[in-house]
């Protein structure tokens, strides 16, 4: 089992779109996947067709009340397992302030899930994908402490290089808390090949960070933006769209890394 966090402190770069559609694409390739929503906005939860305000158990119960991950799993209308989240998780930084183990609550919960799986009590997963909020809050720290690797969605705009350099440094610093933490890859999102600046920035990213860049560029594609309104991953909404095909290619790259 591999755990992957989808993270970038910058907002609106396609984290949730990547988390939902990468998970759906992996599931379509017969991988067993669990999507965990770690953003109180609950966009990933909604994007898989769940009603975020009508869940018996959410990540708030896991992180604040010690409910096991296994008990909070639901099968989403999208067809794969999800642990949802809503606003209840928004105050976690304040609720847990001063608690010494507050940054490793998720890691502990994951260890329990892994132990159950090894004992054959729970369905084993090939991948656990976590959608993070656009900040380095306690939830994101929990994700980065619990994860094996990070996938960074990145938009090819003027500040991308600086942003990626900052983010690499942050992740480097967090290896103190999680020695196995690595950047699994950077995926260029919302990409418009007709835009000269986007092409230039993409080339610069390739030049400076080539070894961690995924080959797949996720194009700006209206179907990707429409699908969440229907509570569906793009694969279910518009199977042959450019967006759906791009996320399938990304899933192939992610699977290849696992071998
Ligand atoms: N490739 C794409 N083509 C078109 N629209 C996209 C694409 N990727 C994301 N979007 C749209 O852009 C907006 C931001 O995307 P998304 O919610 O995935 O970003 P995010 O990084 O998760 O945002 P936040 O930081 O708020 O969590 C959404 O409206 C989404 O539907
Ligand atoms: Mg998001």
């Amino acid at each position: 089992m591999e755990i992957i966090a989808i993270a970038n402190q910058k907002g609106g770069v396609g984290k949730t779109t990547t988390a939902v559609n990468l998970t759906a694409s992996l599931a379509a390739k017969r991988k067993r996947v669990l999507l965990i929503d770690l953003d109180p906005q609950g966009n990933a939860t909604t994007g898989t067709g769940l009603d975020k305000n009508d869940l018996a158990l959410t990540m708030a119960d896991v992180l604040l009340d010690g409910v096991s991950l296994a008990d909070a799993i639901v099968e989403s209308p999208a067809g794969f397992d999800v642990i949802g989240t809503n606003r209840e998780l928004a105050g976690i930084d304040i609720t847990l302030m001063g608690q010494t183990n507050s940054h490793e609550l998720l890691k502990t919960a994951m260890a329990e899930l892994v132990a159950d799986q090894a004992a054959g009590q729970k369905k084993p997963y090939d991948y656990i994908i976590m959608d993070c909020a656009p900040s380095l809050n306690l939830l994101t720290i929990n994700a980065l402490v619990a994860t094996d690797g990070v996938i960074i969605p990145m938009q090819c705009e003027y500040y991308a290089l600086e942003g990626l350099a900052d983010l690499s440094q942050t992740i480097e610093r967090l290896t103190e808390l999680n020695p196995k933490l690595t950047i699994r890859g950077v995926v260029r999102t919302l990409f418009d090949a007709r835009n000269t600046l986007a092409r230039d920035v993409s080339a610069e990213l390739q030049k400076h960070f080539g070894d961690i860049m995924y080959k797949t560029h996720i194009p700006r594609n209206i179907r990707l933006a429409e699908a969440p309104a229907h509570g569906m991953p793009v694969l279910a909404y518009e199977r042959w769209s450019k967006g759906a095909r791009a996320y399938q290619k990304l899933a192939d790259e992610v699977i290849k890394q696992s071998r």
Side-chain angles (χ1 to χ4, degrees), residues 16 39 43 131:
T16 302
D39 182 350
N43 295 338
D131 184 32

Side-chain angles (χ1 to χ4, degrees), residues 10-17 39 41 43 131-132 134 190 218-222 224-225 228:
K10 198 160 161 38
V13 295
K15 291 181 290 297
T16 302
T17 304
D39 182 350
Q41 294 182 97
N43 295 338
D131 184 32
C132 296
L190 289 146
I218 307 296
R220 194 177 277 279
N221 176 243
I222 188 69
L224 284 169

Side-chain angles (χ1 to χ4, degrees), residues 6-250:
I6 312 290
N8 187 334
Q9 283 154 261
K10 198 160 161 38
V13 295
K15 291 181 290 297
T16 302
T17 304
T18 298
V20 169
N21 291 297
L22 175 61
T23 304
S25 301
L26 289 168
K29 292 176 193 297
R30 304 192 165 277
K31 298 295 176 191
R32 284 153 307 186
V33 275
L34 168 65
L35 174 64
I36 299 183
D37 191 351
L38 276 177
D39 182 350
Q41 294 182 97
N43 295 338
T45 307
T46 315
T48 59
L50 292 167
D51 180 350
K52 64 182 174 188
N53 296 314
D54 188 31
L55 292 167
L57 294 168
T58 67
M59 282 308 290
D61 299 288
V62 172
L63 297 173
L64 298 171
D65 291 331
V67 166
S68 75
L69 286 169
D71 285 340
I73 294 169
V74 292
E75 193 182 330
S76 69
F80 47 79
D81 287 355
V82 174
I83 305 182
T85 281
N86 54 38
R87 297 304 306 169
E88 278 176 57
L89 209 48
I92 190 171
D93 282 80
I94 293 163
T95 313
L96 297 181
M97 198 157 53
Q99 191 174 312
T100 47
N101 66 342
S102 62
H103 62 282
E104 52 187 25
L105 294 169
L106 186 56
K107 184 184 173 181
T108 308
M110 282 291 189
E112 194 189 320
L113 185 70
V114 171
D116 282 356
Q117 289 187 347
Q121 289 165 1
K122 295 283 183 311
K123 190 168 73 169
Y125 291 106
D126 297 308
Y127 297 97
I128 296 182
I129 310 287
M130 300 185 283
D131 184 32
C132 296
S135 73
L136 196 63
N137 61 12
L138 187 56
L139 290 168
T140 305
I141 304 267
N142 262 276
L144 296 178
V145 169
T147 200
D148 300 318
V150 190
I151 291 179
I152 303 174
M154 179 137 292
Q155 228 176 307
C156 291
E157 54 186 22
Y158 185 63
Y159 292 114
L161 259 77
E162 236 172 280
L164 185 50
D166 281 355
L167 209 54
S168 319
Q169 267 183 22
T170 305
I171 289 169
E172 181 65 40
R173 262 185 275 132
L174 281 166
T175 55
E176 219 171 282
L177 297 174
N178 176 5
K180 64 183 174 183
L181 183 63
T182 49
I183 298 180
R184 189 172 178 127
V186 175
V187 54
R188 285 160 276 197
T189 54
L190 289 146
F191 189 70
D192 179 0
R194 289 165 306 181
N195 179 323
T196 317
L197 176 64
R199 280 204 314 269
D200 288 352
V201 171
S202 175
E204 283 294 304
L205 282 168
Q206 191 62 38
K207 190 166 124 199
H208 294 283
F209 298 95
D211 48 334
I212 54 167
M213 303 302 292
Y214 285 113
K215 289 195 195 75
T216 308
H217 292 53
I218 307 296
R220 194 177 277 279
N221 176 243
I222 188 69
R223 302 291 174 241
L224 284 169
E226 288 169 353
H230 302 270
M232 288 181 194
V234 73
L235 206 50
Y237 176 66
E238 191 81 50
R239 180 172 188 84
W240 302 110
S241 60
K242 281 189 175 146
R245 282 182 287 159
Y247 275 108
Q248 282 173 285
K249 275 175 64 188
L250 180 65

